[in-house]
Amino acid sequence: MTQIQTNLLSVRRRMAAAAQSALRSPEAVCLLAVSKKQPADAIREAYALGQRDFGENYVQEGMDKQKQLSDLSICWHFIGPLQRNKTREVAENFQWVHSVDRLIVAERLSAQRPDHLPPLQVCLQVNVDDEDSKSGCASDEVEALAKAVAGLPRLTLRGLMCIPKPGNTAAFTELAKTLQQIQATISGLDTLSMGMSEDLEPAIAAGATWVRIGTALFGARQ
Ligand SMILES: *Cc1c(COP(=O)(O)O)cnc(C)c1O
């Protein structure tokens, strides 16, 4: 077995075990392979093992890999900080964006999403640690942002995403609660994007539907 094969099996086992302990169906949790700073060949290898969803953080790097891998049916997710001058590339080339944190970015993504493509699937990134320096919308502003984003024609709002500080597993439960509150007024929200290599278990226990895994799959980044 190759390293990526061993890693993929191990991550899938961890996900299934975490789902089982939480009395959740293993199918309710999807694996997003985070391939930032990994070569296209590593993605190709994971794809050959059945992985279809890949997450990239940087627009240019993601576009370069998409070109190299255009023969594969990959579902591309953008998960990094998104500047307003980079929205067009993302709107035209990705199926999901997990990191929308302000209305202007959402408006531009909607306006720039090509008509021949299905609506862009979007999560709102919430700043669960309330640190000024980090990206993500403030917890008390999520609901208003969600209402505005849900009304944009070329986006489908799916749910919430967070990147808590290491060890802040309570943030996962908080994000799940916030999603429940918003679900009372907006329909169709079914997604909690939370949990990375080090903390996928508590994220799944709290209700994650996507875990975003880089290091545990591909090893250390270059
Ligand atoms: C890098 C990254 C990940 C993956 O982190 P690992 O600890 O390598 O699993 C997940 N989500 C986001 C937003 C990231 O930037």
Side-chain angles (χ1 to χ4, degrees), residues 34 36 57 79-80 161 163 195-198 212-216 221:
V34 175
K36 66 170 178 231
N57 287 60
I79 62 172
M161 178 271 223
I163 315 173
M196 315 203 296
S197 293
E198 294 292 323
R212 308 179 310 268
I213 310 297
T215 314
R221 287 180 273 277

mmCIF file of all heavy atoms in Angstrom, residues 34 36 57 79-80 161 163 195-198 212-216 221, ligand 1:
data_model
loop_
_atom_site.group_PDB
_atom_site.id
_atom_site.type_symbol
_atom_site.label_atom_id
_atom_site.label_comp_id
_atom_site.label_asym_id
_atom_site.label_seq_id
_atom_site.Cartn_x
_atom_site.Cartn_y
_atom_site.Cartn_z
ATOM 1 N N VAL A 34 -8.082 18.025 1.695
ATOM 2 C CA VAL A 34 -7.496 19.358 1.545
ATOM 3 C C VAL A 34 -6.110 19.231 0.923
ATOM 4 O O VAL A 34 -5.169 18.734 1.544
ATOM 5 C CB VAL A 34 -7.424 20.080 2.903
ATOM 6 C CG1 VAL A 34 -6.699 21.413 2.766
ATOM 7 C CG2 VAL A 34 -8.836 20.298 3.454
ATOM 8 N N LYS A 36 -4.142 21.681 -0.539
ATOM 9 C CA LYS A 36 -3.275 22.865 -0.646
ATOM 10 C C LYS A 36 -1.821 22.472 -0.397
ATOM 11 O O LYS A 36 -1.535 21.647 0.473
ATOM 12 C CB LYS A 36 -3.702 23.936 0.361
ATOM 13 C CG LYS A 36 -3.504 23.523 1.799
ATOM 14 C CD LYS A 36 -3.717 24.688 2.764
ATOM 15 C CE LYS A 36 -3.558 24.201 4.178
ATOM 16 N NZ LYS A 36 -4.657 24.552 5.060
ATOM 17 N N ASN A 57 -6.978 26.261 -0.979
ATOM 18 C CA ASN A 57 -7.027 27.525 -0.229
ATOM 19 C C ASN A 57 -6.627 28.740 -1.034
ATOM 20 O O ASN A 57 -6.907 29.850 -0.618
ATOM 21 C CB ASN A 57 -6.050 27.480 0.946
ATOM 22 C CG ASN A 57 -6.520 26.587 2.046
ATOM 23 O OD1 ASN A 57 -6.701 25.394 1.811
ATOM 24 N ND2 ASN A 57 -6.746 27.150 3.219
ATOM 25 N N ILE A 79 -11.706 26.812 0.052
ATOM 26 C CA ILE A 79 -11.853 26.880 1.512
ATOM 27 C C ILE A 79 -10.988 27.962 2.150
ATOM 28 O O ILE A 79 -10.960 28.078 3.370
ATOM 29 C CB ILE A 79 -11.523 25.507 2.163
ATOM 30 C CG1 ILE A 79 -10.072 25.106 1.901
ATOM 31 C CG2 ILE A 79 -12.478 24.429 1.660
ATOM 32 C CD1 ILE A 79 -9.639 23.860 2.670
ATOM 33 N N GLY A 80 -10.279 28.753 1.337
ATOM 34 C CA GLY A 80 -9.361 29.742 1.896
ATOM 35 C C GLY A 80 -9.993 31.121 1.983
ATOM 36 O O GLY A 80 -11.110 31.342 1.529
ATOM 37 N N MET A 161 -19.347 27.081 8.402
ATOM 38 C CA MET A 161 -18.006 26.508 8.485
ATOM 39 C C MET A 161 -17.243 27.236 9.587
ATOM 40 O O MET A 161 -17.480 28.420 9.841
ATOM 41 C CB MET A 161 -17.308 26.704 7.126
ATOM 42 C CG MET A 161 -15.882 26.210 7.049
ATOM 43 S SD MET A 161 -14.652 27.444 7.520
ATOM 44 C CE MET A 161 -13.436 27.191 6.242
ATOM 45 N N ILE A 163 -13.106 27.323 11.729
ATOM 46 C CA ILE A 163 -11.743 26.837 11.989
ATOM 47 C C ILE A 163 -11.375 27.283 13.397
ATOM 48 O O ILE A 163 -10.730 28.311 13.575
ATOM 49 C CB ILE A 163 -10.710 27.431 10.999
ATOM 50 C CG1 ILE A 163 -11.232 27.394 9.568
ATOM 51 C CG2 ILE A 163 -9.368 26.725 11.123
ATOM 52 C CD1 ILE A 163 -10.329 28.129 8.569
ATOM 53 N N GLY A 195 -13.890 20.460 11.503
ATOM 54 C CA GLY A 195 -13.055 19.327 11.847
ATOM 55 C C GLY A 195 -11.930 19.177 10.836
ATOM 56 O O GLY A 195 -12.154 19.217 9.626
ATOM 57 N N MET A 196 -10.695 19.070 11.345
ATOM 58 C CA MET A 196 -9.520 18.899 10.503
ATOM 59 C C MET A 196 -8.758 17.669 11.042
ATOM 60 O O MET A 196 -9.298 16.904 11.822
ATOM 61 C CB MET A 196 -8.665 20.168 10.527
ATOM 62 C CG MET A 196 -9.505 21.436 10.368
ATOM 63 S SD MET A 196 -8.620 22.885 9.755
ATOM 64 C CE MET A 196 -7.463 23.196 11.042
ATOM 65 N N SER A 197 -7.512 17.479 10.598
ATOM 66 C CA SER A 197 -6.782 16.256 10.949
ATOM 67 C C SER A 197 -6.776 15.989 12.450
ATOM 68 O O SER A 197 -6.936 14.857 12.896
ATOM 69 C CB SER A 197 -5.342 16.345 10.448
ATOM 70 O OG SER A 197 -5.314 16.331 9.038
ATOM 71 N N GLU A 198 -6.590 17.042 13.251
ATOM 72 C CA GLU A 198 -6.384 16.866 14.693
ATOM 73 C C GLU A 198 -7.681 16.766 15.475
ATOM 74 O O GLU A 198 -7.668 16.343 16.631
ATOM 75 C CB GLU A 198 -5.565 18.048 15.248
ATOM 76 C CG GLU A 198 -4.148 18.127 14.721
ATOM 77 C CD GLU A 198 -3.278 16.977 15.215
ATOM 78 O OE1 GLU A 198 -3.447 16.564 16.374
ATOM 79 O OE2 GLU A 198 -2.449 16.490 14.424
ATOM 80 N N ARG A 212 -12.644 18.495 6.875
ATOM 81 C CA ARG A 212 -11.649 18.954 5.897
ATOM 82 C C ARG A 212 -10.272 18.462 6.342
ATOM 83 O O ARG A 212 -9.709 18.970 7.307
ATOM 84 C CB ARG A 212 -11.681 20.487 5.807
ATOM 85 C CG ARG A 212 -13.074 21.090 5.560
ATOM 86 C CD ARG A 212 -12.994 22.617 5.525
ATOM 87 N NE ARG A 212 -12.275 23.153 6.661
ATOM 88 C CZ ARG A 212 -12.841 23.526 7.807
ATOM 89 N NH1 ARG A 212 -14.141 23.465 7.965
ATOM 90 N NH2 ARG A 212 -12.100 23.981 8.800
ATOM 91 N N ILE A 213 -9.741 17.477 5.644
ATOM 92 C CA ILE A 213 -8.546 16.783 6.126
ATOM 93 C C ILE A 213 -7.388 16.936 5.144
ATOM 94 O O ILE A 213 -7.501 16.534 3.979
ATOM 95 C CB ILE A 213 -8.836 15.279 6.329
ATOM 96 C CG1 ILE A 213 -10.100 15.066 7.166
ATOM 97 C CG2 ILE A 213 -7.637 14.592 6.960
ATOM 98 C CD1 ILE A 213 -10.045 15.600 8.577
ATOM 99 N N GLY A 214 -6.292 17.515 5.627
ATOM 100 C CA GLY A 214 -5.101 17.671 4.798
ATOM 101 C C GLY A 214 -3.985 16.746 5.256
ATOM 102 O O GLY A 214 -3.719 15.701 4.671
ATOM 103 N N THR A 215 -3.311 17.133 6.353
ATOM 104 C CA THR A 215 -2.115 16.439 6.818
ATOM 105 C C THR A 215 -2.319 14.938 7.037
ATOM 106 O O THR A 215 -1.467 14.139 6.647
ATOM 107 C CB THR A 215 -1.645 17.084 8.140
ATOM 108 O OG1 THR A 215 -1.672 18.508 7.979
ATOM 109 C CG2 THR A 215 -0.249 16.650 8.489
ATOM 110 N N ALA A 216 -3.415 14.552 7.638
ATOM 111 C CA ALA A 216 -3.630 13.122 7.930
ATOM 112 C C ALA A 216 -3.791 12.292 6.671
ATOM 113 O O ALA A 216 -3.624 11.078 6.691
ATOM 114 C CB ALA A 216 -4.850 12.948 8.838
ATOM 115 N N ARG A 221 2.736 19.401 4.558
ATOM 116 C CA ARG A 221 2.691 20.188 3.320
ATOM 117 C C ARG A 221 4.077 20.692 2.940
ATOM 118 O O ARG A 221 4.923 20.868 3.782
ATOM 119 C CB ARG A 221 1.732 21.381 3.506
ATOM 120 C CG ARG A 221 0.291 20.963 3.518
ATOM 121 C CD ARG A 221 -0.624 22.141 3.708
ATOM 122 N NE ARG A 221 -0.854 22.473 5.103
ATOM 123 C CZ ARG A 221 -1.757 21.866 5.894
ATOM 124 N NH1 ARG A 221 -2.509 20.902 5.421
ATOM 125 N NH2 ARG A 221 -1.893 22.236 7.139
HETATM 126 C C1 LIG B 1 -5.278 23.518 5.765
HETATM 127 C C2 LIG B 1 -6.721 23.502 6.065
HETATM 128 C C3 LIG B 1 -7.366 22.322 6.475
HETATM 129 C C4 LIG B 1 -6.652 21.004 6.692
HETATM 130 O O1 LIG B 1 -5.858 21.063 7.825
HETATM 131 P P1 LIG B 1 -5.060 19.755 8.329
HETATM 132 O O2 LIG B 1 -4.757 20.077 9.752
HETATM 133 O O3 LIG B 1 -3.853 19.631 7.479
HETATM 134 O O4 LIG B 1 -5.983 18.600 8.206
HETATM 135 C C5 LIG B 1 -8.729 22.374 6.689
HETATM 136 N N1 LIG B 1 -9.432 23.519 6.508
HETATM 137 C C6 LIG B 1 -8.854 24.658 6.119
HETATM 138 C C7 LIG B 1 -9.679 25.878 5.944
HETATM 139 C C8 LIG B 1 -7.482 24.686 5.903
HETATM 140 O O5 LIG B 1 -6.907 25.845 5.534
#
